[in-house]
Structures are given as C-alpha cells and as structure tokens.
Amino acid sequence: MRSRDGLQSAWYLLPALCALAAPVEAHAETPARIDIAAGRLDGAIVTLGRQAGISIGLTDRQLGAQRVRRVRGVMTAGEALRRLLDDSNARAVRLSARDWRIVRAAPSARPSGTPLRLAVAAPADPAPPVAEIVVTGVRTAGEQGARREPGMIALDGQFAIDAHNRGSDALAERVPGLGSTQLGPGRNRLFLRAIADTSFNGPTQAVVGQYLGTARLNYNAPDPDLRLIDLNLIEIRQGPQGTLYGAGTLGGVIRLLPNMPDARNWEAAQSGSVAATWHGEPSFDASAMLNVPVIEGKLGLRALVYAGRDGGYIDDRLRQKNDINRVHTTGGRIIARLEPGDGWTIDLVGAAQDIDGRDSQYADRLGDRLDRASPFAQPFRNRFRLGQASIGKAWDTFELLTTTTITGLDLDETFDASEPGQAPSLFRQRGETRLIANETRLSGMTDGGLTWLVGGQLLGNRYRIRRARGELARVSTISGIENRVEEATGFADLALPLTGRLVLMAGGRLTHARLSGEALEQPLTLEAFRVARSRSQTAFLPSAGLRYRFSDALSGHVRYQEGFRPGGISVRDDMIRRFLPDNVSAIEAGLALNTGNFSADATFAYTRWRNIQADLIDSDGLPTTENIGDGRIVTLDANMAWQPLPGFTIEASGVWADSRLTQPSARIFLVTAQRGSAVGTVVPDGAVIVDSDDLPNVARLSGRMGASWKTETRAGETLTLGGSLRYVGSSRLGIGPVLGVRQGDVLDTSLSAELAWQGRSFWIRASNLLDNRGNRFAMGSPFTLAQGDQITPLRPRTIAIGADFSF
C-alpha cells in the first residue's frame, strides 16, 4: 500500500484515538502512587506533575539542575514535593489547588554541607514568587512527558522508558523537526530545523552536535545511535547553538542526560521485550541497571548493560536469502560519582556500544518493495567508546565545572559497486574518528537576577578513512585521507532581567581552528602537498535575544545566533582538494501559550547558509565534498497539547520548511535558474547539472498527532492507552542528476497499552498498523544508484510486548 493511500485511510483512526475511554478526575489532595528516580530536579518535577496530575513551575534553571533523591510511595502532591526538596536549597509555593511553583529558599533552609550540582545558592532573602514559568511539568505534557522552552524540546525520563530500549529512531518519531538518513543504526546523519547537508559519512563535520551529559559524542562521525535507557532528560535544541555548544552545531544539539548515581539508596531495574514483524523475523531486547551506594552519602556507582536484535525483513532475490538485514546491538554505561563535601563533585563516565548489521536495509521497486537483487552481502559495523572525567565545585554564588572527554568511533561499511554486464565488485571503507575535548565553565547568578556563564574549550579531532575497491577476488586499495582539526575556543553567555517581564539574552563564542590533512596510500604531487597540508581559520559567533511575558499564560521571544563549520580537505582524483568553511545566521521569533490544560507554541525561523558544504557523486561513483553555493531556509514549527479531560491528552506538532539553493557556486549549473534566459546557454565544463534548488533531505511538511489516556484502577494499577499518526513529507536525496531522486511521503501509525503498578509495568505496542512500505531514504549504495530506484521501506507491521521492573 502506498503511503499516500495510507494517509487517507489513517485519518479514520483519529476518532478512535480520541475516544479511548472516559477518565475520572482525581482531586489534588488525593494520595497518588509516586515513583520518581533520583536525578535532576527539573526532570523530577515533570515526572511528579504527570503522576500527581498537577502543574509545577520552575523559574531558575540552576535550581532545575540540582540533584534530588528518589521519592516513592503513596502520598499527596504536597508531601511528594516536600520529600523531593528536602536536601535542596529550594522550596515549593502553592498557588492553587493544582498549581505549584518552586523557588529558592534562604541559605539557612539548606542543611550545612549539602552538595549542590550545577546550582547557585540563594541571596539572603527568599526570592518572591514570579509569574513567569520557564520550566514546567504540566498535565498537558503529553504521553511522553514533553515540555518546551524557546528553541528547545525536553523529554523527561519517562520518554526513555517508553522508548523501550530503542535509539534515535524513537526521537525522530516523536519530534517532526528531527530528520535522519536511513542507512541503518550507527550509520545515519541527523538534521534539525531543515539544515541538512549530505547523505554520506565522511570528513564533513556533522550539523547536529550530540552529547551524553556534558560529553560530546561526535564531531564528523555519524550518529552513534546510543540506546535511550536510564535517562533523566533529553534536550533537543533547534537552530544554531554555536555560543554554548560549539561552532559546528549549525542545525542544533541533542543532549542525553543520564540518571546519576545515588550514594544513599540501592536501585535496580530491568526490562525486556520480544517483537514479531510481518514478512520478517522476530526481534528481542533486554537491559539491566544497578545503582550501588558504595560509601553512604559520598560515593555512588550506577551501571547499565543492554543487548538486542532487530530482526531482518529484506529478502535478496539473487542470492535467495530471506530477512538479510538483521542488526545486533550490545552496550553499556557506568558512572561513578564522588561527593567529598564542601561543594565538590567528581564524576567518572564510561560508555561503549557495538552495532553489527548483517546487510544493508534497502530494497528496490521490482518486487514487493521488501526485496532486492545483489550479488553479495553489504554488512556494516559501528564501534563506539567514550570516557569522561569531570570535576565540579559550588560556592555560594557561582560554580566551576571542568570536563575532559575522549571518544572513539569506528565505522566499517561495504557497498555493491557492480556494473551491468560486469563481474560483481565491491567498495569498502573504514572510517576512524578520535575526539578529545576539555571544557571548563564558570557560571553564577547575581542578587539582581543576572545569570552568567563564561568558559573555554580545547578540542582535537582526527578522522581517517581508508578505502578499497575491485572485484570480489581482487580488491585493491585506493586513496584515503586523514583529517585533523584542533580548536581553541572562548565563550560567554548571560541573561539579564530588564524588567519583571522582559529578559535580555546575549553571548558570543570566539573559535580558532587549525586544519591539516594528508592522503593515505597514495603519493601526492609536491605542489598539492604544499597547498593543502594545513590551514587556520578564526570565527566569532554572536548571539542575542529577548524574552517577554505578556501575561501569566502568554510569552514571546526573539533570538539571533550564528554557527560556523571549518572548511576541510578531501581526496578527489588522487589529489587533495580544499573546500571553504560554511556558516549560518538565523533569526527566530516565537510565541508560547500555557493555560493549564492547554498549551501551544509556534516558532518562525529564517536562516541564511553561506558556502554550503555538501557531497556530490564524482565520475567514479564516489561521494566528494564541494561548496555548492549559498542558500536560505524558512521554517515554521508549531506544537499543541490539550487535556480536555483529566488524564486524557491530545497532541499535535508539525514543521513546514522551505529550503532553497539561492546562489549556486561555479561548479553547480542550476537548470531552474536558466529558465527564461537567452537560448543557447552553455553548461560550463565539469559543472554538475542540478534540476532543482531544493536542499537535500528536507521535507516540505512533516507532522505528528497523538492521543493518550491514563487512569488508575481500584486495585491501584495505572492503565495507559495511546496512539499516534506520523507523516514525513517528500524530499530529495541530494544534489545532482544521480542524487536528485525523490524520497519520503511516508505515513507511520502506532497504538500502545501499558499496565503499571509498584515499579512493574507490562506493555504492548503495535507500529506501522497499515503495513505501509513507503520510501524513507532513496539509497542503499551510491555506486549502483544510477542503475535503478533504491528505496528504504518502513519496518513492516510489528507488534512488541515487554515488561519493565524497578526496585
């Protein structure tokens, strides 16, 4: 069934989602079953708001980063808040029967010696309650506990639990503005706010920065696709984030904030599931977590392990093999936290994950869109490793945090490079990324409410790519490349309340980068070696913004920020070639409304992108990086959550994007730009003919609708039912006659049910209910792309059942 037909059919499912049941209202003072994991305060209040059916406001982001203990049991909302804030320098203020606000307490309210984490002590007098709510755990948060700030989406730890041991695909399903290639887990590149450059993995720096806590996961490497397990919060910041998160974050930032060790309580959790896929083989996954208080109140250890298999569903007609695209994933994480007292905190983090794909997940249009014909398997392997040490010290009015991170990612890929009528041939490449970064930040807040942050970063990244090509029995090495980047950065950011309603935000980042590169396996001419061996670049990235509160329910913001990505070096025709740095400048404006049971926001953004770095296909079928010219991107991002009845939530979100290549470079011949020009226009020698000015991998329209209902039975169990529709519009694979193929126009549907009580839950989830095929991504191998249509279908209809336990 084609996805457009599925779109028409799926609208008949919406009334069923909106009429799941008739909920029963619970009074705010009625005791509720509360189970909140230890972690950050901002994530904990979102979880409490959902479990207790209340709205909790938080005006201070430093307070929100404090660590709180686990709270568990049957109690009122007021009692839960009291326990949650026992060891913090915050207190809860009740505004109405269902509305609370968390504000700073006087220093005497915090027990002497209580450590703070990313927090600032209060002035002598308690801060009076203010009307503006910046971080909110509201009843309209939705089925996965989402909340939004200007330019940011935050998903609490419950979303990670509901993701059921999945990775970045769960985020893409939830956030319409998050796009991804679909080469397979551990091979994909992520895109935010329609800023997408290439479908290939190579030396070009990723446009989305990814973090685990404060540890940077990638530089030029693909998405490591870490499993979303045992997380406290997930932050998705859209638009360039150069001031605080690095020059290369042109599209935005994704931060996975893990649950930190609790040095006072033992905790354990485990989960597992099995799944059946139509036209495919079964899948399974399992995970386990253990928190150990090694030294009471001083040293805690938290360890996580997981493993899973995604069953295959693509068949190979030529080799007569079924379900060839099976993927195995194993990984784990361990965190040690030492709190010696006097405001000191020391964290050690280690993480590892291995992904083994038995074959690529693409098909063609000749069969049932779930098969293809290829002469051999095209496996891939991703090996990710991370280590981090961080030291923090909190004083009364400011805090120091320094972190050092080492990251390694190896990606092995095999592609079919066979030509019609010739013997089967392949192309292999191995990319090795090594990243080391140190960052030191000093932050604080003045008595007048000014919050500030200054810091510096030193970063070194090395990327090697080795390649081989030939017939199966005679594979020969071809030229590879090694790129190195060294960055030194200083940055600052502040937020100044000008009035009780108006806040000024400003910042800047100064980066000096040194790039060097050399060819591997192939000698260079002396002239090319001299020209391209190294270069230096310096950039300053300013940011500025205003946030204004029109009323208690309505606020608005405007923001300007820039992003910069250093140029680089690539190998083409056995010669090193340089390409220019690109940069983006974006201005956005938005409104947010929150009336308690209804919330909505919309953000309009205009982005200019100069010297766009993108990948083209050369005469040998190899991807090569080029500056394709200048472009502009216009986006409108809107979201809505409505709770017409207690426990029943309806959500809708969507993104409209219009991306254009406005001024092609000399290497690009844009056909649309020549329409109406004089007859006889000559195509320059060596130019790439492009018949569309669309930028790659940007869907014009994407959206999601969902509904959920939660109620508590007389026996004390919590029953949750939910469903969603998700649509991803049409886009192009890339730039040029080979890559300019259409993809997208895909509809996905899901239904779920969960029964939970006393730390246990049993659930069932059905996805792709209409069993659509669709075409998420129009490439499997770039070398055979010109020979026929390649498609990447949705996983066929899948039903998964599982159980989660926490102790």
Side-chain angles (χ1 to χ4, degrees), residues 430-459:
R430 175 182 176 84
E432 301 174 351
T433 300
R434 301 293 182 268
L435 171 67
I436 181 169
N438 173 268
E439 183 172 284
T440 300
R441 297 187 175 200
L442 188 65
S443 60
M445 176 184 286
T446 68
D447 292 348
L450 169 68
T451 60
W452 55 270
L453 182 148
V454 295
Q457 182 186 73
L458 297 174
L459 178 149

PDB file of all heavy atoms in Angstrom, residues 430-459:
ATOM      1  N   ARG A 430      36.531   2.222   5.737  1.00  0.00           N
ATOM      2  CA  ARG A 430      36.599   2.199   7.200  1.00  0.00           C
ATOM      3  C   ARG A 430      36.912   3.608   7.667  1.00  0.00           C
ATOM      4  O   ARG A 430      37.950   4.180   7.313  1.00  0.00           O
ATOM      5  CB  ARG A 430      37.666   1.228   7.693  1.00  0.00           C
ATOM      6  CG  ARG A 430      37.862   1.243   9.213  1.00  0.00           C
ATOM      7  CD  ARG A 430      38.966   0.280   9.645  1.00  0.00           C
ATOM      8  NE  ARG A 430      39.220   0.346  11.063  1.00  0.00           N
ATOM      9  CZ  ARG A 430      38.534  -0.308  12.008  1.00  0.00           C
ATOM     10  NH1 ARG A 430      37.523  -1.082  11.656  1.00  0.00           N
ATOM     11  NH2 ARG A 430      38.854  -0.194  13.288  1.00  0.00           N
ATOM     12  N   GLY A 431      36.001   4.171   8.425  1.00  0.00           N
ATOM     13  CA  GLY A 431      36.209   5.485   8.995  1.00  0.00           C
ATOM     14  C   GLY A 431      36.540   5.377  10.468  1.00  0.00           C
ATOM     15  O   GLY A 431      35.843   4.691  11.221  1.00  0.00           O
ATOM     16  N   GLU A 432      37.600   6.061  10.892  1.00  0.00           N
ATOM     17  CA  GLU A 432      38.031   6.039  12.284  1.00  0.00           C
ATOM     18  C   GLU A 432      38.062   7.471  12.812  1.00  0.00           C
ATOM     19  O   GLU A 432      38.769   8.322  12.265  1.00  0.00           O
ATOM     20  CB  GLU A 432      39.426   5.415  12.418  1.00  0.00           C
ATOM     21  CG  GLU A 432      39.517   3.988  11.901  1.00  0.00           C
ATOM     22  CD  GLU A 432      40.944   3.471  11.924  1.00  0.00           C
ATOM     23  OE1 GLU A 432      41.867   4.283  12.187  1.00  0.00           O
ATOM     24  OE2 GLU A 432      41.145   2.269  11.680  1.00  0.00           O
ATOM     25  N   THR A 433      37.294   7.731  13.851  1.00  0.00           N
ATOM     26  CA  THR A 433      37.225   9.059  14.456  1.00  0.00           C
ATOM     27  C   THR A 433      37.724   9.004  15.891  1.00  0.00           C
ATOM     28  O   THR A 433      37.291   8.146  16.665  1.00  0.00           O
ATOM     29  CB  THR A 433      35.781   9.589  14.445  1.00  0.00           C
ATOM     30  OG1 THR A 433      35.308   9.664  13.096  1.00  0.00           O
ATOM     31  CG2 THR A 433      35.712  10.986  15.047  1.00  0.00           C
ATOM     32  N   ARG A 434      38.624   9.911  16.240  1.00  0.00           N
ATOM     33  CA  ARG A 434      39.123  10.028  17.604  1.00  0.00           C
ATOM     34  C   ARG A 434      38.972  11.492  18.028  1.00  0.00           C
ATOM     35  O   ARG A 434      39.516  12.390  17.375  1.00  0.00           O
ATOM     36  CB  ARG A 434      40.590   9.606  17.714  1.00  0.00           C
ATOM     37  CG  ARG A 434      40.845   8.173  17.288  1.00  0.00           C
ATOM     38  CD  ARG A 434      40.192   7.178  18.238  1.00  0.00           C
ATOM     39  NE  ARG A 434      40.480   5.789  17.862  1.00  0.00           N
ATOM     40  CZ  ARG A 434      39.707   5.063  17.063  1.00  0.00           C
ATOM     41  NH1 ARG A 434      38.604   5.594  16.562  1.00  0.00           N
ATOM     42  NH2 ARG A 434      40.026   3.832  16.768  1.00  0.00           N
ATOM     43  N   LEU A 435      38.272  11.707  19.121  1.00  0.00           N
ATOM     44  CA  LEU A 435      37.983  13.060  19.603  1.00  0.00           C
ATOM     45  C   LEU A 435      38.398  13.185  21.060  1.00  0.00           C
ATOM     46  O   LEU A 435      38.061  12.324  21.887  1.00  0.00           O
ATOM     47  CB  LEU A 435      36.482  13.353  19.469  1.00  0.00           C
ATOM     48  CG  LEU A 435      35.962  14.648  20.114  1.00  0.00           C
ATOM     49  CD1 LEU A 435      36.517  15.863  19.389  1.00  0.00           C
ATOM     50  CD2 LEU A 435      34.438  14.672  20.100  1.00  0.00           C
ATOM     51  N   ILE A 436      39.126  14.235  21.368  1.00  0.00           N
ATOM     52  CA  ILE A 436      39.448  14.558  22.758  1.00  0.00           C
ATOM     53  C   ILE A 436      39.124  16.026  22.986  1.00  0.00           C
ATOM     54  O   ILE A 436      39.464  16.874  22.146  1.00  0.00           O
ATOM     55  CB  ILE A 436      40.929  14.249  23.098  1.00  0.00           C
ATOM     56  CG1 ILE A 436      41.194  14.588  24.573  1.00  0.00           C
ATOM     57  CG2 ILE A 436      41.885  14.969  22.168  1.00  0.00           C
ATOM     58  CD1 ILE A 436      42.535  14.068  25.083  1.00  0.00           C
ATOM     59  N   ALA A 437      38.422  16.313  24.064  1.00  0.00           N
ATOM     60  CA  ALA A 437      37.982  17.684  24.327  1.00  0.00           C
ATOM     61  C   ALA A 437      38.033  17.966  25.809  1.00  0.00           C
ATOM     62  O   ALA A 437      37.696  17.108  26.632  1.00  0.00           O
ATOM     63  CB  ALA A 437      36.566  17.906  23.798  1.00  0.00           C
ATOM     64  N   ASN A 438      38.454  19.166  26.154  1.00  0.00           N
ATOM     65  CA  ASN A 438      38.393  19.649  27.534  1.00  0.00           C
ATOM     66  C   ASN A 438      37.610  20.947  27.541  1.00  0.00           C
ATOM     67  O   ASN A 438      37.870  21.836  26.727  1.00  0.00           O
ATOM     68  CB  ASN A 438      39.786  19.888  28.112  1.00  0.00           C
ATOM     69  CG  ASN A 438      39.723  20.544  29.483  1.00  0.00           C
ATOM     70  OD1 ASN A 438      39.761  21.760  29.604  1.00  0.00           O
ATOM     71  ND2 ASN A 438      39.604  19.738  30.521  1.00  0.00           N
ATOM     72  N   GLU A 439      36.659  21.051  28.454  1.00  0.00           N
ATOM     73  CA  GLU A 439      35.869  22.276  28.569  1.00  0.00           C
ATOM     74  C   GLU A 439      35.768  22.662  30.036  1.00  0.00           C
ATOM     75  O   GLU A 439      35.518  21.811  30.896  1.00  0.00           O
ATOM     76  CB  GLU A 439      34.475  22.080  27.981  1.00  0.00           C
ATOM     77  CG  GLU A 439      33.630  23.347  28.021  1.00  0.00           C
ATOM     78  CD  GLU A 439      32.323  23.195  27.270  1.00  0.00           C
ATOM     79  OE1 GLU A 439      32.356  23.225  26.023  1.00  0.00           O
ATOM     80  OE2 GLU A 439      31.281  23.039  27.932  1.00  0.00           O
ATOM     81  N   THR A 440      35.930  23.955  30.304  1.00  0.00           N
ATOM     82  CA  THR A 440      35.820  24.486  31.659  1.00  0.00           C
ATOM     83  C   THR A 440      34.833  25.633  31.645  1.00  0.00           C
ATOM     84  O   THR A 440      34.937  26.542  30.796  1.00  0.00           O
ATOM     85  CB  THR A 440      37.187  24.974  32.165  1.00  0.00           C
ATOM     86  OG1 THR A 440      38.104  23.873  32.175  1.00  0.00           O
ATOM     87  CG2 THR A 440      37.068  25.531  33.576  1.00  0.00           C
ATOM     88  N   ARG A 441      33.854  25.589  32.557  1.00  0.00           N
ATOM     89  CA  ARG A 441      32.812  26.609  32.625  1.00  0.00           C
ATOM     90  C   ARG A 441      32.703  27.148  34.049  1.00  0.00           C
ATOM     91  O   ARG A 441      32.792  26.390  35.008  1.00  0.00           O
ATOM     92  CB  ARG A 441      31.450  26.036  32.217  1.00  0.00           C
ATOM     93  CG  ARG A 441      31.375  25.551  30.794  1.00  0.00           C
ATOM     94  CD  ARG A 441      29.957  25.152  30.418  1.00  0.00           C
ATOM     95  NE  ARG A 441      29.856  24.800  29.010  1.00  0.00           N
ATOM     96  CZ  ARG A 441      28.721  24.785  28.323  1.00  0.00           C
ATOM     97  NH1 ARG A 441      27.588  25.112  28.936  1.00  0.00           N
ATOM     98  NH2 ARG A 441      28.702  24.471  27.050  1.00  0.00           N
ATOM     99  N   LEU A 442      32.480  28.445  34.144  1.00  0.00           N
ATOM    100  CA  LEU A 442      32.199  29.106  35.416  1.00  0.00           C
ATOM    101  C   LEU A 442      30.863  29.820  35.250  1.00  0.00           C
ATOM    102  O   LEU A 442      30.693  30.617  34.325  1.00  0.00           O
ATOM    103  CB  LEU A 442      33.307  30.101  35.762  1.00  0.00           C
ATOM    104  CG  LEU A 442      33.259  30.746  37.148  1.00  0.00           C
ATOM    105  CD1 LEU A 442      33.460  29.696  38.232  1.00  0.00           C
ATOM    106  CD2 LEU A 442      34.313  31.847  37.258  1.00  0.00           C
ATOM    107  N   SER A 443      29.901  29.515  36.128  1.00  0.00           N
ATOM    108  CA  SER A 443      28.567  30.091  35.988  1.00  0.00           C
ATOM    109  C   SER A 443      28.082  30.582  37.345  1.00  0.00           C
ATOM    110  O   SER A 443      28.561  30.147  38.399  1.00  0.00           O
ATOM    111  CB  SER A 443      27.591  29.052  35.439  1.00  0.00           C
ATOM    112  OG  SER A 443      27.509  27.921  36.304  1.00  0.00           O
ATOM    113  N   GLY A 444      27.098  31.486  37.298  1.00  0.00           N
ATOM    114  CA  GLY A 444      26.569  32.000  38.549  1.00  0.00           C
ATOM    115  C   GLY A 444      25.370  32.895  38.327  1.00  0.00           C
ATOM    116  O   GLY A 444      24.901  33.109  37.211  1.00  0.00           O
ATOM    117  N   MET A 445      24.873  33.458  39.433  1.00  0.00           N
ATOM    118  CA  MET A 445      23.741  34.375  39.411  1.00  0.00           C
ATOM    119  C   MET A 445      23.978  35.467  40.444  1.00  0.00           C
ATOM    120  O   MET A 445      24.428  35.193  41.562  1.00  0.00           O
ATOM    121  CB  MET A 445      22.439  33.642  39.708  1.00  0.00           C
ATOM    122  CG  MET A 445      21.218  34.571  39.796  1.00  0.00           C
ATOM    123  SD  MET A 445      19.707  33.701  40.258  1.00  0.00           S
ATOM    124  CE  MET A 445      19.365  32.858  38.716  1.00  0.00           C
ATOM    125  N   THR A 446      23.688  36.707  40.059  1.00  0.00           N
ATOM    126  CA  THR A 446      23.839  37.832  40.971  1.00  0.00           C
ATOM    127  C   THR A 446      22.554  38.063  41.752  1.00  0.00           C
ATOM    128  O   THR A 446      21.500  37.509  41.428  1.00  0.00           O
ATOM    129  CB  THR A 446      24.204  39.105  40.198  1.00  0.00           C
ATOM    130  OG1 THR A 446      23.087  39.505  39.404  1.00  0.00           O
ATOM    131  CG2 THR A 446      25.411  38.876  39.311  1.00  0.00           C
ATOM    132  N   ASP A 447      22.630  38.926  42.778  1.00  0.00           N
ATOM    133  CA  ASP A 447      21.436  39.245  43.558  1.00  0.00           C
ATOM    134  C   ASP A 447      20.360  39.906  42.701  1.00  0.00           C
ATOM    135  O   ASP A 447      19.173  39.799  42.993  1.00  0.00           O
ATOM    136  CB  ASP A 447      21.807  40.183  44.721  1.00  0.00           C
ATOM    137  CG  ASP A 447      22.662  39.488  45.762  1.00  0.00           C
ATOM    138  OD1 ASP A 447      22.757  38.244  45.690  1.00  0.00           O
ATOM    139  OD2 ASP A 447      23.228  40.180  46.620  1.00  0.00           O
ATOM    140  N   GLY A 448      20.757  40.576  41.643  1.00  0.00           N
ATOM    141  CA  GLY A 448      19.787  41.226  40.773  1.00  0.00           C
ATOM    142  C   GLY A 448      19.139  40.309  39.772  1.00  0.00           C
ATOM    143  O   GLY A 448      18.336  40.768  38.952  1.00  0.00           O
ATOM    144  N   GLY A 449      19.481  39.016  39.783  1.00  0.00           N
ATOM    145  CA  GLY A 449      18.860  38.062  38.875  1.00  0.00           C
ATOM    146  C   GLY A 449      19.621  37.810  37.597  1.00  0.00           C
ATOM    147  O   GLY A 449      19.171  37.051  36.743  1.00  0.00           O
ATOM    148  N   LEU A 450      20.795  38.435  37.409  1.00  0.00           N
ATOM    149  CA  LEU A 450      21.604  38.205  36.227  1.00  0.00           C
ATOM    150  C   LEU A 450      22.252  36.824  36.313  1.00  0.00           C
ATOM    151  O   LEU A 450      22.972  36.525  37.266  1.00  0.00           O
ATOM    152  CB  LEU A 450      22.686  39.274  36.097  1.00  0.00           C
ATOM    153  CG  LEU A 450      23.778  39.014  35.050  1.00  0.00           C
ATOM    154  CD1 LEU A 450      23.199  39.086  33.646  1.00  0.00           C
ATOM    155  CD2 LEU A 450      24.940  39.996  35.214  1.00  0.00           C
ATOM    156  N   THR A 451      21.992  35.965  35.343  1.00  0.00           N
ATOM    157  CA  THR A 451      22.680  34.677  35.255  1.00  0.00           C
ATOM    158  C   THR A 451      23.748  34.795  34.176  1.00  0.00           C
ATOM    159  O   THR A 451      23.524  35.369  33.107  1.00  0.00           O
ATOM    160  CB  THR A 451      21.700  33.542  34.902  1.00  0.00           C
ATOM    161  OG1 THR A 451      21.081  33.803  33.648  1.00  0.00           O
ATOM    162  CG2 THR A 451      20.631  33.401  35.969  1.00  0.00           C
ATOM    163  N   TRP A 452      24.919  34.233  34.441  1.00  0.00           N
ATOM    164  CA  TRP A 452      26.052  34.383  33.536  1.00  0.00           C
ATOM    165  C   TRP A 452      26.839  33.089  33.465  1.00  0.00           C
ATOM    166  O   TRP A 452      26.772  32.225  34.364  1.00  0.00           O
ATOM    167  CB  TRP A 452      26.962  35.521  34.000  1.00  0.00           C
ATOM    168  CG  TRP A 452      27.437  35.362  35.426  1.00  0.00           C
ATOM    169  CD1 TRP A 452      26.836  35.827  36.546  1.00  0.00           C
ATOM    170  CD2 TRP A 452      28.609  34.662  35.861  1.00  0.00           C
ATOM    171  NE1 TRP A 452      27.541  35.472  37.670  1.00  0.00           N
ATOM    172  CE2 TRP A 452      28.643  34.753  37.264  1.00  0.00           C
ATOM    173  CE3 TRP A 452      29.622  33.972  35.207  1.00  0.00           C
ATOM    174  CZ2 TRP A 452      29.665  34.167  38.025  1.00  0.00           C
ATOM    175  CZ3 TRP A 452      30.635  33.394  35.952  1.00  0.00           C
ATOM    176  CH2 TRP A 452      30.652  33.509  37.355  1.00  0.00           C
ATOM    177  N   LEU A 453      27.568  32.967  32.380  1.00  0.00           N
ATOM    178  CA  LEU A 453      28.403  31.787  32.167  1.00  0.00           C
ATOM    179  C   LEU A 453      29.558  32.180  31.262  1.00  0.00           C
ATOM    180  O   LEU A 453      29.365  32.842  30.235  1.00  0.00           O
ATOM    181  CB  LEU A 453      27.589  30.663  31.532  1.00  0.00           C
ATOM    182  CG  LEU A 453      28.294  29.318  31.283  1.00  0.00           C
ATOM    183  CD1 LEU A 453      27.304  28.180  31.413  1.00  0.00           C
ATOM    184  CD2 LEU A 453      28.933  29.282  29.888  1.00  0.00           C
ATOM    185  N   VAL A 454      30.778  31.817  31.643  1.00  0.00           N
ATOM    186  CA  VAL A 454      31.956  32.009  30.810  1.00  0.00           C
ATOM    187  C   VAL A 454      32.718  30.695  30.791  1.00  0.00           C
ATOM    188  O   VAL A 454      32.658  29.900  31.734  1.00  0.00           O
ATOM    189  CB  VAL A 454      32.859  33.144  31.333  1.00  0.00           C
ATOM    190  CG1 VAL A 454      32.156  34.478  31.247  1.00  0.00           C
ATOM    191  CG2 VAL A 454      33.322  32.871  32.766  1.00  0.00           C
ATOM    192  N   GLY A 455      33.442  30.461  29.712  1.00  0.00           N
ATOM    193  CA  GLY A 455      34.183  29.206  29.643  1.00  0.00           C
ATOM    194  C   GLY A 455      35.131  29.169  28.461  1.00  0.00           C
ATOM    195  O   GLY A 455      35.210  30.085  27.643  1.00  0.00           O
ATOM    196  N   GLY A 456      35.850  28.060  28.384  1.00  0.00           N
ATOM    197  CA  GLY A 456      36.781  27.826  27.290  1.00  0.00           C
ATOM    198  C   GLY A 456      36.842  26.352  26.960  1.00  0.00           C
ATOM    199  O   GLY A 456      36.484  25.493  27.773  1.00  0.00           O
ATOM    200  N   GLN A 457      37.283  26.047  25.747  1.00  0.00           N
ATOM    201  CA  GLN A 457      37.347  24.663  25.292  1.00  0.00           C
ATOM    202  C   GLN A 457      38.574  24.458  24.421  1.00  0.00           C
ATOM    203  O   GLN A 457      38.930  25.313  23.601  1.00  0.00           O
ATOM    204  CB  GLN A 457      36.092  24.298  24.503  1.00  0.00           C
ATOM    205  CG  GLN A 457      36.058  22.850  24.024  1.00  0.00           C
ATOM    206  CD  GLN A 457      34.868  22.561  23.120  1.00  0.00           C
ATOM    207  OE1 GLN A 457      34.827  22.987  21.970  1.00  0.00           O
ATOM    208  NE2 GLN A 457      33.889  21.849  23.648  1.00  0.00           N
ATOM    209  N   LEU A 458      39.218  23.315  24.597  1.00  0.00           N
ATOM    210  CA  LEU A 458      40.273  22.838  23.709  1.00  0.00           C
ATOM    211  C   LEU A 458      39.815  21.515  23.126  1.00  0.00           C
ATOM    212  O   LEU A 458      39.353  20.626  23.869  1.00  0.00           O
ATOM    213  CB  LEU A 458      41.592  22.664  24.461  1.00  0.00           C
ATOM    214  CG  LEU A 458      42.210  23.930  25.062  1.00  0.00           C
ATOM    215  CD1 LEU A 458      43.442  23.568  25.895  1.00  0.00           C
ATOM    216  CD2 LEU A 458      42.584  24.926  23.971  1.00  0.00           C
ATOM    217  N   LEU A 459      39.914  21.377  21.810  1.00  0.00           N
ATOM    218  CA  LEU A 459      39.377  20.192  21.139  1.00  0.00           C
ATOM    219  C   LEU A 459      40.336  19.733  20.066  1.00  0.00           C
ATOM    220  O   LEU A 459      40.922  20.540  19.338  1.00  0.00           O
ATOM    221  CB  LEU A 459      38.014  20.534  20.524  1.00  0.00           C
ATOM    222  CG  LEU A 459      37.263  19.478  19.723  1.00  0.00           C
ATOM    223  CD1 LEU A 459      35.756  19.669  19.864  1.00  0.00           C
ATOM    224  CD2 LEU A 459      37.634  19.537  18.224  1.00  0.00           C
TER     225      LEU A 459
END
